[in-house]
Amino acid sequence: MTLQQLKYIVTVAECGNITEAAEKLFIAQPSLTSAIHNIEEEMGITAFIRSNKGVELTRDGETLLSYARQILEQTDVMTEHFKGERNQKPRFSVSCQHYSFAVNAFVDVIREYDADAYNFILRETQTYEIIDDVAVGRSEIGILYLSEHNEAVLSKLINKNDLNFEELYIAKPHVFISNNHPLANKEEITIQDLMPYPYLVFEQGKHNSFYFSEEFLSSLEFSKNIMVRDRATLFNLLIGLNGFTVCSGIIDTELNGENIISKPLDSDCSMRIGILTRKNSVISRYGVSYLNVLKNHLSID
């Protein structure tokens, strides 16, 4: 199998359509279809299920895609090492929970590797998708937290996908509220204090259980619950409805706004924030830089 064939696999998977992939690769559709068939025969698998709507990866196809991306990424690392950056277009991707420090670190990496052209991706997404993104190679690094509430389930899923979890920071749970919230003047907030107010959480799709929740109190019952999909909506509702959410407490006024404040939550538990990477993979220079600035942001905050 050649590197070009591996690029075919990745492009078809990303496009979900043979015709679109062929156009992107500048080859004829029959030639691409034939190449995919040859790869499947060589590997003894069916990588794609074909339909009138396009193509979808099978489970074997997902595994093949993961290996293909790893090989191509390692080839890029090798090329960069021996040829330098001049002929390389920077490529880097991160999947994370909704953390301001993850965004700030991403900005720093882009500034460090500012170039005429680059492909950088930051995906603030659902917890299950973070694990899946790193497992299949959509992202080089994932960022999430483990705690006594979710560790058994998430660690099993992490190990099943041949991933490593590296702890970077231990955070005590905090409450995000608006600076005009009735609880804004309290030095520390209790769970009982929060009971009358709307609890805002990030929606987790079909994996919407407290094991996959970004918020620390999702195993508890609150009478008022609101699910959202993005950071801006959550913060608008915090302000407009005197709502609250529970997180690490690391806050950035430029991203979160001056109207959002963080208060310690009365709890004996902790959040172990860390990164996910694929086992036995070499992190790119962009990944190394990202981890360095990420640790700096965590230590500063």
Side-chain angles (χ1 to χ4, degrees), residues 256-293:
N256 300 340
E258 296 181 354
N259 294 326
I260 304 299
I261 60 175
S262 174
K263 293 288 182 176
L265 177 68
D266 181 17
S267 172
D268 294 329
C269 300
S270 60
M271 304 170 66
R272 296 169 47 222
I273 298 172
I275 62 164
L276 293 179
T277 55
R278 294 190 298 274
K279 289 181 180 178
N280 303 317
S281 65
V282 178
I283 297 178
S284 69
R285 67 175 63 189
Y286 314 112
V288 171
S289 295
Y290 183 77
L291 292 182
N292 287 335
V293 295

Side-chain angles (χ1 to χ4, degrees), residues 153-265:
V153 171
L154 293 193
S155 292
K156 183 177 180 180
L157 189 59
I158 289 168
N159 291 330
K160 180 181 178 182
N161 284 279
D162 291 324
L163 304 178
N164 286 320
F165 176 81
E166 178 187 349
E167 181 181 302
L168 297 181
Y169 184 81
I170 299 178
K172 300 299 292 184
H174 283 64
V175 180
F176 275 6
I177 55 177
S178 78
N179 56 3
N180 292 318
H181 194 283
L183 301 176
N185 293 325
K186 291 182 67 71
E187 292 297 320
E188 185 177 66
I189 294 176
T190 68
I191 293 175
Q192 193 61 39
D193 291 333
L194 297 171
M195 287 299 178
Y197 303 104
Y199 182 29
L200 301 171
V201 300
F202 287 107
E203 194 265 333
Q204 296 292 326
K206 64 181 180 180
H207 299 282
N208 206 43
S209 72
F210 65 83
Y211 296 114
F212 293 95
S213 175
E214 287 192 40
E215 296 75 28
F216 203 72
L217 298 182
S218 294
S219 59
L220 300 179
E221 289 292 332
F222 289 90
S223 58
K224 301 175 182 178
N225 300 276
I226 301 174
M227 290 186 180
V228 300
R229 293 297 301 268
D230 64 86
R231 182 203 305 267
T233 300
L234 185 141
F235 287 148
N236 286 335
L237 293 175
L238 285 184
I239 296 170
L241 296 176
N242 279 334
F244 72 94
T245 192
V246 179
C247 57
S248 67
I250 304 173
I251 194 168
D252 182 274
T253 55
E254 290 186 9
L255 289 176
N256 300 340
E258 296 181 354
N259 294 326
I260 304 299
I261 60 175
S262 174
K263 293 288 182 176
L265 177 68

Side-chain angles (χ1 to χ4, degrees), residues 16-229:
N17 183 284
I18 294 288
T19 301
E20 182 181 342
E23 292 176 354
K24 190 172 183 179
L25 291 164
F26 301 104
I27 63 174
Q29 180 179 332
S31 298
L32 179 57
T33 300
S34 177
I36 295 297
H37 280 307
N38 291 339
I39 295 169
E40 290 177 321
E41 289 181 4
E42 182 180 348
M43 294 293 103
I45 64 170
T46 298
F48 296 97
I49 298 175
R50 295 152 180 82
S51 68
N52 293 333
K53 296 181 179 180
V55 294
E56 293 183 3
L57 284 166
T58 63
R59 189 60 186 170
D60 284 336
E62 291 177 353
T63 303
L64 178 61
L65 176 65
S66 177
Y67 281 118
R69 280 181 164 145
Q70 289 183 54
I71 293 169
L72 292 173
E73 287 172 5
Q74 299 312 310
T75 302
D76 287 343
V77 172
M78 180 182 66
T79 302
E80 289 173 8
H81 176 78
F82 289 106
K83 292 187 176 181
E85 290 186 46
R86 289 179 302 171
N87 298 321
Q88 294 298 310
K89 187 176 183 179
R91 297 172 57 191
F92 177 61
S93 58
V94 175
S95 293
C96 63
Q97 293 175 324
H98 295 75
Y99 295 134
S100 60
F101 56 82
V103 177
N104 289 334
F106 194 80
V107 170
D108 289 346
V109 172
I110 293 178
R111 287 173 175 168
E112 180 180 353
Y113 290 98
D114 189 19
D116 293 334
Y118 51 72
N119 284 321
F120 287 164
I121 301 173
L122 177 63
R123 304 184 74 226
E124 285 190 327
T125 188
Q126 298 167 353
T127 301
Y128 183 90
E129 287 194 358
I130 295 171
I131 298 173
D132 189 59
D133 283 350
V134 180
V136 302
R138 278 190 294 268
S139 288
E140 183 176 344
I141 293 172
I143 304 174
L144 48 70
Y145 83 91
L146 298 181
S147 71
E148 63 183 50
H149 301 296
N150 68 7
E151 184 167 4
V153 171
L154 293 193
S155 292
K156 183 177 180 180
L157 189 59
I158 289 168
N159 291 330
K160 180 181 178 182
N161 284 279
D162 291 324
L163 304 178
N164 286 320
F165 176 81
E166 178 187 349
E167 181 181 302
L168 297 181
Y169 184 81
I170 299 178
K172 300 299 292 184
H174 283 64
V175 180
F176 275 6
I177 55 177
S178 78
N179 56 3
N180 292 318
H181 194 283
L183 301 176
N185 293 325
K186 291 182 67 71
E187 292 297 320
E188 185 177 66
I189 294 176
T190 68
I191 293 175
Q192 193 61 39
D193 291 333
L194 297 171
M195 287 299 178
Y197 303 104
Y199 182 29
L200 301 171
V201 300
F202 287 107
E203 194 265 333
Q204 296 292 326
K206 64 181 180 180
H207 299 282
N208 206 43
S209 72
F210 65 83
Y211 296 114
F212 293 95
S213 175
E214 287 192 40
E215 296 75 28
F216 203 72
L217 298 182
S218 294
S219 59
L220 300 179
E221 289 292 332
F222 289 90
S223 58
K224 301 175 182 178
N225 300 276
I226 301 174
M227 290 186 180
V228 300
R229 293 297 301 268

Side-chain angles (χ1 to χ4, degrees), residues 1-16:
M1 184 180 297
T2 66
L3 291 177
Q4 188 62 52
Q5 287 176 311
L6 296 179
K7 291 179 182 178
Y8 291 167
I9 292 290
V10 172
T11 305
V12 171
E14 290 176 345
C15 293

